[in-house]
Amino acid sequence: ETGVTQSPTHLIKTRGQQVTLRCSSQSGHNTVSWYQQALGQGPQFIFQYYREEENGRGNFPPRFSGLQFPNYSSELNVNALELDDSALYLCASSLAPSGGSETQYFGPGTRLLVL
Amino acid sequence: GNSVTQMEGPVTLSEEAFLTINCTYTATGYPSLFWYVQYPGEGLQLLLKATKADDKGSNKGFEATYRKETTSFHLEKGSVQVSDSAVYFCALTKDTGRRALTFGSGTRLQVQP
């Protein structure tokens, strides 16, 4: 069984640029969630995708957008990067959202540094 | 809204000591509760979970009991090892609506030999 994978592992961008992060979900999982983890903090929910549709969004501005593909892999896009966007971006996959008890399995993350 | 509060770290223990990391939550309804662990330079790994009141989650010697009356989910281990050194996150998901994890701020555990 293949786990959740993310690419790239590290990325350096400058303020105002755009970035795309990628995630491959665990085999058999159809739901992908993205989280932002600032240094020394707990992860914050960005949004979730289920069957290629956004299925909930956290308190992040519209310049954070996403996609989910038919094979359930996903992308996180961030436009007009700001210094505060520097963080570890985590992707998590799970089975269909139902009842709230399904476990989310996390990838190793992409560390983004904005200069 | 939902929130999770964890004891601040770092928690420093000697090997074979008893561990407790406190976690309390605020949520409506009947959330599911989780403990995740993050080793240096890695993503999050699920440690254990509990989905209803009085459930006990356990894994690798760690335990936590879902206490609805005190809205708590404290993590315990009877005898810690150096390899348990990591950051531990308590989290919840609601039973309805958006299936997002709400995390606490994390507690760093350092176990000394």
Side-chain angles (χ1 to χ4, degrees):
Chain A
E1 185 177 84
T2 306
V4 179
T5 60
Q6 293 186 242
S7 62
T9 55
H10 295 82
L11 204 51
I12 300 175
K13 292 286 188 178
T14 56
R15 196 169 44 183
Q17 285 188 313
Q18 178 266 343
V19 69
T20 298
L21 310 182
R22 295 178 175 82
C23 171
S24 291
S25 60
Q26 185 167 312
S27 178
H29 287 180
N30 55 17
T31 302
V32 173
S33 303
W34 286 92
Y35 295 81
Q36 180 195 65
Q37 185 181 16
L39 197 63
Q41 301 295 318
Q44 299 291 316
F45 175 70
I46 303 175
F47 43 58
Q48 182 181 88
Y49 279 83
Y50 169 59
R51 291 185 175 177
E52 303 178 58
E53 297 288 332
E54 189 176 289
N55 185 46
R57 187 179 184 92
N59 189 26
F60 280 80
R63 60 190 185 84
F64 285 78
S65 63
L67 284 173
Q68 187 179 33
F69 300 99
N71 65 356
Y72 304 128
S73 65
S74 177
E75 287 183 355
L76 164 65
N77 299 289
V78 187
N79 294 320
L81 283 167
E82 300 177 0
L83 298 180
D84 284 349
D85 296 333
S86 296
L88 180 67
Y89 288 84
L90 295 165
C91 168
S93 75
S94 57
L95 293 172
S98 60
S101 65
E102 62 278 354
T103 298
Q104 296 187 27
Y105 295 90
F106 285 80
T110 293
R111 188 163 297 281
L112 173 65
L113 177 61
V114 182
L115 302 175
Chain B
N2 300 331
S3 66
V4 176
T5 302
Q6 291 181 234
M7 63 187 290
E8 290 191 14
V11 174
T12 303
L13 296 174
S14 298
E15 206 165 22
E16 300 184 2
F18 184 84
L19 168 70
T20 300
I21 300 178
N22 290 337
C23 169
T24 58
Y25 68 89
T26 300
T28 56
Y30 299 91
S32 294
L33 302 174
F34 303 80
W35 277 100
Y36 280 85
V37 58
Q38 187 172 37
Y39 296 100
E42 299 185 11
L44 299 172
Q45 299 177 23
L46 176 68
L47 184 57
L48 52 84
K49 73 175 187 181
T51 59
K52 60 182 187 295
D54 300 325
D55 266 3
K56 177 185 282 187
S58 61
N59 186 28
K60 299 181 182 179
F62 291 89
E63 293 183 340
T65 300
Y66 189 147
R67 301 287 188 199
K68 189 162 179 63
E69 64 276 13
T70 54
T71 62
S72 65
F73 193 54
H74 304 322
L75 182 68
E76 296 182 337
K77 187 176 185 183
S79 177
V80 294
Q81 306 299 313
V82 172
S83 57
D84 294 327
S85 297
V87 181
Y88 292 80
F89 292 94
C90 185
L92 66 82
T93 54
K94 286 180 62 176
D95 55 350
T96 59
R98 192 179 67 202
R99 311 298 187 205
L101 281 161
T102 298
F103 286 89
S105 57
T107 302
R108 180 175 299 279
L109 170 65
Q110 297 174 335
V111 181
Q112 298 176 337

